[in-house]
Amino acid sequence: MTDLKGRSLLTLLDFTAEEISYLIDYAIELKERKRSGRKGDLLEGKNIVLLFDKASTRTRCAFEVAAFDEGARVTYLSNSQMGKKESMEDTARVLGRFYDGIEFRGYKQETVEALARWSGVPVWNGLTDTYHPTQVLADFMTAKEHLGKPFHEMKLVFVGDGRNNVATSLMIGAAKLGMDFTAACPEELHPDESMLNAMQVLGKETGAEIGWSSDLHEAVKGADVIYTDVWVSMGEDDKFAERIGLLKPYQVSMDVIRASGNPNVIFEHCLPAFHDLETEIGRDVAQKYGLEEMEVTDEVFRSSHSVVFDEAENRMHTIKAVMAATCCS
């Protein structure tokens, strides 16, 4: 059994392929336990704090339900003095005295790293501007469930902003597990060069092919997973005009799905998705830019290829696996 007790999950860069695979398999086991109705107690007597500087639906709910399922007590904290009236170090040291594990969702990667450095307890990255590791564990778990083949036989194509935290984390995970990865994106939004180069080097060891292309239909050929994300991340609300101009040609439509040449290709999205006009932002974009669907069409989102709600559910199972593996006594 892989021993991850006391480890923090800040980025998948810190985990081996075996450890990543273990967490995914453990999540599948815990999902089966929950669905069979067996009560969990893996986190009985543990106290968990969730620090949120960014709004959330899936991440907060996934951590809370996962913790409650296994007997932990949870504090949700969105108005701390961290970095304002109290230093990062002092806050981390205090929280480490109160809690057995800390989740952070916010902006700077340096924040979650400081919490891990000073708290003395496992810290889990629920999202920063740089990485989103818990999301990728759920993405890969979902791919494993639906595709029924090993990761080294899968090809994943991320369509959109190839530099964002989700694309970067998918690329890291793919390189670690020997999965082929292509970012289909405009040149202006291609993956970070240093990270891309590092993952290509790693890919030579694991058998992964890592790259990017501005040719969307060429990139998705042979894809097992087509993945997209919102065009504008939280805190970038002034970027809509620029990103729509760059990314409109990269909308995932049924033409893109068909271009894969794979009738069993699955569509993934970390959510929320702007596939219709049922959101304030979606209606605002439609009014200003005449675009009723953004990164994915409603047809694809609701199609048999779409596994987005399985993927959303799996956030909870993979997060449960992370907490149980790193926090259990």
Side-chain angles (χ1 to χ4, degrees):
M1 180 175 176
T2 302
D3 184 6
L4 298 177
K5 185 176 183 332
R7 294 273 297 278
S8 291
L9 177 61
L10 310 182
T11 168
L12 292 178
L13 289 169
D14 298 334
F15 283 67
T16 66
E18 291 75 18
E19 290 166 342
I20 294 168
S21 294
Y22 166 74
L23 287 170
I24 293 168
D25 290 342
Y26 192 20
I28 291 171
E29 177 187 336
L30 293 175
K31 181 177 184 176
E32 291 171 353
R33 285 190 203 176
K34 181 178 175 71
R35 290 194 167 180
S36 71
R38 284 181 283 172
K39 187 179 185 305
D41 60 0
L42 294 170
L43 297 171
E44 194 71 44
K46 302 295 185 182
N47 293 291
I48 307 297
V49 62
L50 310 179
L51 296 175
F52 278 74
D53 285 345
K54 278 189 175 182
S56 170
T57 299
R58 278 153 300 283
T59 300
R60 176 182 176 180
C61 294
F63 268 98
E64 288 193 348
V65 173
F68 295 152
D69 276 355
E70 297 298 332
R73 295 175 290 271
V74 175
T75 300
Y76 173 73
L77 190 58
S78 63
N79 58 346
S80 76
Q81 297 290 356
M82 182 174 64
K84 301 167 190 172
K85 294 175 67 177
E86 187 170 32
S87 71
M88 290 294 309
E89 178 182 348
D90 292 357
T91 302
R93 287 181 180 276
V94 168
L95 293 177
R97 298 294 183 98
F98 293 163
Y99 295 98
D100 301 289
I102 299 170
E103 179 274 348
F104 174 79
R105 178 183 175 92
Y107 295 92
K108 295 181 179 180
Q109 180 70 13
E110 291 84 352
T111 302
V112 75
E113 291 172 354
L115 286 168
R117 183 181 311 117
W118 297 111
S119 67
V121 299
V123 174
W124 310 298
N125 181 356
L127 175 142
T128 65
D129 290 343
T130 310
Y131 302 116
H132 200 356
T134 59
Q135 177 65 54
V136 171
L137 291 175
D139 301 334
F140 286 3
M141 174 182 173
T142 308
K144 182 169 185 174
E145 289 178 322
H146 282 270
L147 298 175
K149 60 182 181 180
F151 292 116
H152 68 266
E153 294 181 8
M154 297 181 194
K155 177 180 177 180
L156 185 150
V157 179
F158 178 89
V159 182
D161 181 354
R163 312 163 310 165
N164 79 10
N165 50 8
V166 173
T168 300
S169 296
L170 286 167
M171 180 169 64
I172 294 167
K176 293 267 184 175
L177 295 176
M179 183 191 303
D180 287 357
F181 171 90
T182 300
C185 55
E187 187 171 354
E188 295 89 338
L189 299 175
H190 68 72
D192 175 79
E193 286 285 357
S194 61
M195 182 63 73
L196 178 64
N197 292 338
M199 293 305 101
Q200 288 174 333
V201 170
L202 177 60
K204 290 178 180 178
E205 300 175 10
T206 65
E209 292 285 341
I210 307 295
W212 75 277
S213 172
S214 59
D215 187 331
L216 172 58
H217 285 76
E218 185 64 30
V220 299
K221 285 182 180 178
D224 295 292
V225 184
I226 295 176
Y227 194 119
T228 194
D229 190 6
V230 294
W231 290 344
V232 177
S233 298
M234 282 182 281
E236 296 183 330
D237 293 346
D238 60 338
K239 300 286 187 181
F240 270 102
E242 173 192 331
R243 296 294 172 76
I244 288 171
L246 288 170
L247 291 170
K248 188 175 179 181
Y250 293 85
Q251 182 187 71
V252 178
S253 64
M254 285 305 296
D255 284 342
V256 174
I257 296 292
R258 285 188 286 269
S260 72
N262 179 4
N264 299 313
V265 66
I266 62 173
F267 170 74
E268 292 192 344
H269 192 307
C270 51
L271 303 183
F274 296 111
H275 59 98
D276 57 22
L277 298 179
E278 298 301 315
T279 63
E280 290 181 11
I281 291 175
R283 290 189 292 271
D284 186 56
V285 166
Q287 183 178 18
K288 290 179 179 177
Y289 306 104
L291 196 61
E292 295 188 357
E293 303 160 312
M294 282 191 271
E295 71 276 6
V296 60
T297 64
D298 196 55
E299 183 181 15
V300 170
F301 189 85
R302 298 181 187 278
S303 74
S304 60
H305 298 280
S306 178
V307 296
V308 297
F309 295 112
D310 290 343
E311 188 182 357
E313 177 191 342
N314 285 341
R315 290 295 310 284
M316 185 263 291
H317 301 299
T318 47
I319 282 169
K320 183 186 292 186
V322 169
M323 290 195 295
T326 60
C327 207
C328 280
S329 56

